[in-house]
Amino acid sequence: MQSDLIFDIGLHEGQDTEFYLKKGFRVVAVEADEDHCKAVAEKFADAVADGRLTIVNKALAKEAGTVTFYKSAFSVWSTLDPEFDKRNRRQGMETTLCEVEATTMADLLQEFGVPYYIKLDIEGLDVVALQGLRFSNELPAYISMESEKDSFRALRREFEILEGLGYDEFKIVPQQRVWRQQPPRPALEGVYVPHRFEKGSSGMFGEEAPGQWMSSEEAIEKYKRVFLRYVLVGDDPYVPKWAEFIFRYGMGIRNGWYDTHARIGAKA
């Protein structure tokens, strides 16, 4: 494992990569959207030039090759998953279909080595990325991923896969509050940097991620309350529009999204 390396899988506009670079890490950033890759390469040209940032303009998928990329007008919802695209369209988002080149987690590990931390945010394909770690002799010390929002059974499956890999301690981080976070001093990961997180950022990671480490059973119990909000006022709620309006504006129930952070801890 390379203790100074982070994989940013789902680069988007580079908010997370910026933070990792500031903290002194090298970053391999993977992104299917060519426009995002070009913009980030220009923004962080110095880091690209000196080798601290490598941008891989490919989708991460189960197999290498050419895949269909559903590029959403709301760019954070762009995806390879046709079911995610259907949800996006139900929400009124326009989609452009593109053919893009894909890579795999195994290929990334072989080319760049095992990172200290992997951030996953690839709209419906996070589990595919996790499964790509199964045949690695070493694992990242930390992983974070955007948690499943539509199926509690699928959420349990995420924890089963993480535990099967060897991760045994977890944090649940509300992403809608990331912009309020301040990196701790002294730093627990990399070097200390003052940083203002933009909304949509993944935020802090590893030992700096807010909250207490817990078992998978404790984390799943916490997610039961989260899923109630998803059902009522989520991205694709299960209640009629009139009922959603009452829950959201009459009762003040707000939607959010959560990242699951995992580490190889107590049983390591």
Side-chain angles (χ1 to χ4, degrees), residues 205-222:
F205 63 94
E207 294 306 310
E208 291 187 348
Q212 299 296 316
W213 293 106
M214 64 187 83
S215 69
S216 61
E217 293 82 4
E218 293 170 324
I220 289 170
E221 282 299 312
K222 190 170 182 178

Side-chain angles (χ1 to χ4, degrees), residues 26-268:
R26 293 182 296 119
V27 180
V28 172
V30 181
E31 173 60 51
D33 191 317
E34 182 180 16
D35 293 335
H36 287 324
C37 290
K38 288 179 178 178
V40 174
E42 182 177 347
K43 182 177 182 179
F44 302 118
D46 290 345
V48 173
D50 65 21
R52 291 183 296 124
L53 172 59
T54 301
I55 299 175
V56 180
N57 185 194
K58 297 180 180 179
L60 193 144
K62 187 175 182 179
E63 297 178 351
T66 302
V67 295
T68 299
F69 179 55
Y70 301 91
K71 185 174 179 177
S72 175
F74 183 42
S75 62
V76 296
W77 280 0
S78 296
T79 181
L80 297 186
D81 188 336
E83 294 303 315
F84 265 62
D85 181 57
K86 290 178 183 177
R87 179 208 66 177
N88 296 348
R89 291 172 184 269
R90 285 196 297 270
Q91 299 301 312
M93 296 298 166
E94 295 183 1
T95 298
T96 302
L97 272 62
C98 311
E99 295 299 309
V100 301
E101 189 176 353
T103 187
T104 67
M105 180 62 76
D107 288 342
L108 292 172
L109 295 172
Q110 183 174 5
E111 182 173 359
F112 300 106
V114 177
Y116 176 68
Y117 164 59
I118 295 179
K119 182 215 89 177
L120 295 172
D121 188 357
I122 47 176
E123 301 305 309
L125 271 293
D126 289 9
V127 166
V128 168
L130 282 183
Q131 290 172 329
L133 292 168
R134 288 178 297 175
F135 305 108
S136 178
N137 292 327
E138 284 189 280
L139 292 170
Y142 299 92
I143 288 179
S144 71
M145 60 186 293
E146 186 174 359
S147 68
E148 168 66 34
K149 299 175 72 173
D150 295 323
S151 165
F152 200 76
R153 178 178 295 179
L155 178 80
R156 287 183 179 274
R157 178 60 179 156
E158 290 176 352
F159 280 93
E160 289 173 3
I161 293 171
L162 286 165
E163 288 191 298
L165 289 169
Y167 295 93
D168 56 4
E169 294 186 324
F170 306 90
K171 290 183 179 182
I172 300 173
V173 178
Q175 294 306 105
Q176 63 271 24
R177 299 178 187 171
V178 160
W179 64 276
R180 301 178 183 175
Q181 297 176 10
Q182 289 294 323
R185 187 196 293 266
L188 302 176
E189 303 291 354
V191 300
Y192 171 77
V193 289
H195 187 77
R196 181 181 295 276
F197 294 100
E198 298 178 28
K199 290 186 177 181
S201 301
S202 294
M204 293 182 288
F205 63 94
E207 294 306 310
E208 291 187 348
Q212 299 296 316
W213 293 106
M214 64 187 83
S215 69
S216 61
E217 293 82 4
E218 293 170 324
I220 289 170
E221 282 299 312
K222 190 170 182 178
Y223 266 124
K224 288 180 179 179
R225 296 189 294 274
V226 171
F227 258 75
L228 176 60
R229 290 199 293 275
Y230 288 162
V231 168
L232 299 178
V233 295
D235 295 333
D236 198 12
Y238 288 86
V239 298
K241 285 291 184 182
W242 62 265
E244 180 192 357
F245 184 88
I246 291 173
F247 289 127
R248 188 183 297 272
Y249 300 106
M251 301 176 64
I253 300 175
R254 293 290 182 262
N255 185 28
W257 72 103
Y258 292 76
D259 276 6
T260 298
H261 289 247
R263 74 173 181 179
I264 299 175
K267 300 175 184 177

